Structure formats: structure tokens, C-alpha cells
Amino acid sequence: MTLTLSLRARLTLIILGPLLAISIGVAIWAARDAQARAADRFDRSLLVTALGISRDTAFSGGNAVSEETRDLLRDTSGGPVFYHVYAPDGVFVTGYATPPVPPADLAPERYTYFDARYLDRSIRAVRFSDRMNIDGLVGEFTFTVWQDLALRDGFVRSLSRRTYGVMATLVIAVALIVWFGVRLGMGPLIDLEGAIARRSAQDLTPIRRAIPAEVRGIVGRLNDLLSELTATLRAKDEFISNAAHQLRNPISGVLALSEAVAAAPTEAEMRTRNADLTEAAAHAAKLTEDLLALERARSAPASDQLPVQDLGPSLADVLARAERLANPKDVLLRLQGCNAPIPVRIDPTLFEQGVENLVVNALLHGGEGLTEVSVRVSTASQRVEIEISDNGKGLDPDQFDLALSRFAQVSPVSGSGLGLPIAKAVVETAGGDLAMAARDPGLAVTLSLPIAAAPA
């Protein structure tokens, strides 16, 4: 299960994450700095105390230390200090009898600092030598001063705790500011949520209000979607209204004819009326089929989601079905230019129905002088053009818009008035377009489609 955080929590984490990392880094640096400072301070204190003991030993002959030095010994850097002094011949002079032993690999220097163990405790010590003359004894006197390391560690912990406390306080303060600040900053988004919540199927008007610059793109896309949805719903309402209007008369005719068949006085009259009923029912079925085809074409998926098909077989099937209508009229159907496969992205069922509507329109509306309907295929610039032309009576250019309108008929003949609109919707769904041109004689309707990559 994927955990989805709120925008408020995400912003808080995004801001506090780097801040926390920086705080940890600063705390580590502060701890190391405090340790280095404490070590330097303790070492200096030990050295000052050792120099004081050296001075007092020289003045008193090793018998006593001054009051100031005793104060240093009692409380240097927060704790007692111990010392030891011995003469050039190794004789103990003053201080504590047993000094800590420095490491064997300690490099000899004038002032030598080292860590050691003394009475099972970790200590820090300084040792140095000074040439003196005490009671006639001349030579290098060695001074060792040491202090418990626990005092220095406690001092470091004290400094670190203060640093950690300051950093933690800052992080908590920033977290609270960010948490409540983001809440206040998201006020316009909450208002926007209310505006969206007030929209319904009856109210799809665009959102018009002051919004932050960061969400203007989102609101703009939402407004575009609302506008498209409004147009789609309006188109569907119009389609349903037109469909109901167009189906009312054929259905009423079917009902009237069915009653007339039942009331026929003779068997011959019943057969005649039954033939009229069959024709009316076929007309209603064709109208219903065309309505569904138009709506399916308008609701088809995007062209890049359609399957790749060869154009030739589909066109050949269309002309084969149209032969039944062309033969009684002595009209020649011809297919030209399909010698090689031409891959296009189409819905084969819808495409064949669209082209068939154009061929049937030519056969129905071509007039008495119609003798030929031609389907010619040509390719150029990665597009294929399918031209359906006839040598009938044709249309005037000022009638093209009417012919492309749904349920419109240029002449009072049988038909649904959906042939050209279906073909136009089908070809536009496949990423193409439809164009009409008057011929002398006849009419040409050209479908232009992009050529697709051939399937593997």
C-alpha cells in the first residue's frame, strides 16, 4: 500500500529534512570544536599550574607553594590538580610520591603532554624540565602535573548539551512555524477546493477567483476540462434530442403499418402492406444504425490508439457490398490505386461504414445520368488520399455545409442525412480530414489520412 502524505506534511518534511541534516552537521562540528577547545583550555591550565609550582619550588627550596598556586591546585578548570617534582639525581622533592608514567614512545619536548592511567583513572598530564639551583643542587628538575580526564569530558558534555539544546530549540521552532505557516499559506487552496466542490453536473462554469501563481496552470487545465465537458454534454443532449426527433416518425410509421397489416381486408392487400412495413422497419433500423455509428465515431479513441490496418481490403469489401445497389442501376464501381499495401490507423468497422455511406450516397443521389462511381487511392507526403467521385448530378459548392450537417438532406429522398457526417467524424477520429469538390459532371469527396508505420 502506497502511503500518500498531505501537501502540508510533504512541505514540512521537505523543509525540515535539510534543516535537520544541517543541524546534525552543526552539532557534530560544535561537539568536536568544544572538545578541541576544552583540551586546549585544560592543557593551558595544567601548564600554568606547572609553571607556578616550578616558580614556588625555586623560591622555597621545594618546601612549600604559594597561596595562589594552592588555589590553582584546588580548582584548575573545575577540579583538583596533582603534581610531582624530582631532582636531577631522581630524588623526590615535593608533591605526590608517585607520578603517572608517560608512554614509552613519547617524543621528548620542553613541554610534553600525554594521556595515561593513574590509580585506575584516565588522566591528562604535562611534564617539563627546568634547570635550577635548590639548596646547592644544580641541574634539571622535572615537574609533572596531572588532572582527571573526567573533568574535561564533563566540561565538553556541558558545552555540547548547550549546543544541542539550542539547535533542537531552533529545529522545533522552525517545524512549528512551517507547520502552521503552511496551513495559513494553503488558505487559497482550501478556498479553491470549496469552489471545485460547489461544481456539479448542473454547474460546470469555469472557476473565476484570485489564485496563487503556482496553481494557475492546474486551474486553467481544470477550466478547459470543464468547458470541454460542457460542450460534450451539450452535444450529447443535442444528439439525443435530434435522435428522438428523427426516430419518432419512422417508429410511428412502423406502428401504423403494423396495424394496417392486421386490418388488411384481403390476403393480397396484407402482402402489399407487409412489404411497406418491412421497408419502413428497414429504414428505421438503418437510421438507428447510422445514429449509433455517428456517436461511436465521435467517441472513438485517439488516433494513436487505433490499430494499423491495410487500406485495400477494407475498400474492396465496401465496393463488394455496394454492388447489390449498383447493379440494378447499371452503375460501374471501380477501385484504383490499391496495388500495394497502405497501412493506416483506423477502426476498420467504422471506416468501412463511413466509406460505404459515401458510395451509397453517390448511388442514391447521383441522378438518372449516373453511370460510374470511382474510388481512387493515391499517396503523397506520408498521407493517403481516398477520392470517392461520381459522374452524376453533383452538388453546388454552397450546398456543401448543408450536406455535412447532421440529419440534413439537400434533396427530398430517402436516407438518414447522416452519411457525410459519419464519414467526416470517422476520418477526423483517425487524424485525417474530409474535403468536397464539385466536378463537371458529378461530385468528389476526398478523405485524407496519415500513413502509419507498417506493423511488425
Side-chain angles (χ1 to χ4, degrees):
M1 179 178 179
T2 303
L3 179 63
T4 303
L5 297 177
S6 66
L7 182 60
R8 187 181 183 188
R10 286 172 60 88
L11 288 174
T12 303
L13 289 177
I14 290 172
I15 295 173
L16 290 184
L19 179 61
L20 185 61
I22 293 173
S23 300
I24 293 174
V26 171
I28 294 174
W29 171 83
R32 292 178 178 176
D33 182 70
Q35 188 172 10
R37 289 176 179 271
D40 182 69
R41 176 177 174 180
F42 272 71
D43 288 349
R44 290 177 180 274
S45 298
L46 289 176
L47 181 59
V48 169
T49 304
L51 292 175
I53 294 172
S54 171
R55 181 199 59 193
D56 295 345
T57 300
F59 289 158
S60 66
N63 294 323
V65 294
S66 65
E67 186 66 29
E68 292 82 1
T69 303
R70 283 197 296 272
D71 291 339
L72 290 174
L73 293 173
R74 282 194 299 269
D75 193 19
T76 295
S77 298
V81 176
F82 309 93
Y83 68 98
H84 173 85
V85 182
Y86 64 88
D89 55 1
V91 176
F92 171 70
V93 177
T94 184
Y96 288 80
T98 305
V101 179
D105 57 349
L106 189 66
E109 297 180 3
R110 178 170 175 78
Y111 303 106
T112 303
Y113 295 95
F114 61 92
D115 295 329
R117 299 285 297 177
Y118 181 76
L119 299 180
D120 292 331
R121 297 178 67 88
S122 298
I123 58 97
R124 179 68 171 175
V126 60
R127 170 178 286 188
F128 76 97
S129 300
D130 194 9
R131 188 172 181 79
M132 294 182 179
N133 185 349
I134 300 178
D135 294 336
L137 182 59
V138 180
E140 295 287 337
F141 285 76
T142 302
F143 300 86
T144 304
V145 179
W146 64 94
Q147 190 176 34
D148 198 334
L149 271 178
L151 298 173
R152 185 178 70 177
D153 295 340
F155 179 72
V156 171
R157 285 194 296 270
S158 176
L159 289 179
S160 301
R161 278 196 296 268
R162 284 199 293 270
T163 302
Y164 297 156
V166 171
M167 297 304 298
T169 302
L170 287 176
V171 171
I172 293 173
V174 171
L176 294 176
I177 293 172
V178 170
W179 183 256
F180 292 103
V182 169
R183 175 69 178 179
L184 295 175
M186 291 177 63
L189 294 182
I190 297 175
D191 295 340
L192 178 61
E193 178 187 3
I196 296 174
R198 287 191 290 273
R199 296 300 186 271
S200 64
Q202 290 73 36
D203 180 15
L204 295 175
T205 56
I207 297 173
R208 308 294 184 192
R209 60 174 54 240
I211 53 177
E214 291 78 5
V215 294
R216 285 177 187 166
I218 298 176
V219 175
R221 294 296 180 89
L222 178 60
N223 285 339
D224 292 342
L225 179 61
L226 291 176
S227 299
E228 293 176 5
L229 183 58
T230 300
T232 300
L233 292 177
R234 186 182 298 114
K236 285 188 178 296
D237 291 341
E238 182 182 355
F239 173 80
I240 292 172
S241 177
N242 290 335
H245 176 73
Q246 294 295 324
L247 287 172
R248 185 184 297 115
N249 291 336
I251 292 176
S252 298
V254 170
L255 290 175
L257 286 172
S258 64
E259 293 173 356
V261 169
T266 64
E267 184 176 351
E269 183 66 19
M270 182 180 67
R271 290 194 182 96
T272 300
R273 295 180 182 182
N274 188 63
D276 293 339
L277 174 60
T278 302
E279 182 180 354
H283 174 66
K286 180 65 168 62
L287 178 59
T288 303
E289 182 182 347
D290 287 346
L291 287 171
L292 293 176
L294 178 61
E295 185 60 20
R296 182 183 171 191
R298 294 176 56 204
S299 305
S303 59
D304 57 352
Q305 299 178 6
L306 294 174
V308 178
Q309 302 286 334
D310 181 15
L311 203 59
S314 295
L315 295 177
D317 289 344
V318 168
L319 294 186
R321 289 193 296 269
E323 288 283 354
R324 291 174 296 178
L325 183 61
N327 289 337
K329 296 177 177 287
D330 292 328
V331 176
L332 175 64
L333 299 181
R334 292 200 304 174
L335 176 61
Q336 300 172 312
C338 277
N339 300 323
I342 304 175
V344 291
R345 287 190 176 275
I346 54 173
D347 182 320
T349 303
L350 283 177
F351 178 76
E352 290 182 15
Q353 186 169 357
V355 175
E356 186 173 352
N357 284 339
L358 297 178
V359 175
V360 170
N361 276 352
L363 294 172
L364 291 177
H365 305 300
E368 295 181 358
L370 179 67
T371 61
E372 180 181 337
V373 176
S374 174
V375 178
R376 187 172 61 87
V377 180
S378 61
T379 59
S381 301
Q382 295 301 311
R383 294 186 74 85
V384 58
E385 292 186 350
I386 306 114
E387 182 187 81
I388 299 96
S389 61
D390 63 78
N391 62 350
K393 65 181 181 178
L395 290 176
D396 293 331
D398 56 359
Q399 295 176 317
F400 289 170
D401 291 339
L402 179 61
L404 289 170
S405 301
R406 289 182 297 175
F407 307 112
Q409 291 181 337
V410 177
S411 59
V413 295
S414 62
S416 64
L418 294 174
L420 277 169
I422 290 174
K424 186 173 186 295
V426 169
V427 75
E428 288 179 348
T429 299
D433 54 66
L434 180 148
M436 301 176 66
R439 295 286 176 85
D440 187 17
L443 175 70
V445 180
T446 302
L447 308 179
S448 178
L449 292 171
I451 297 177

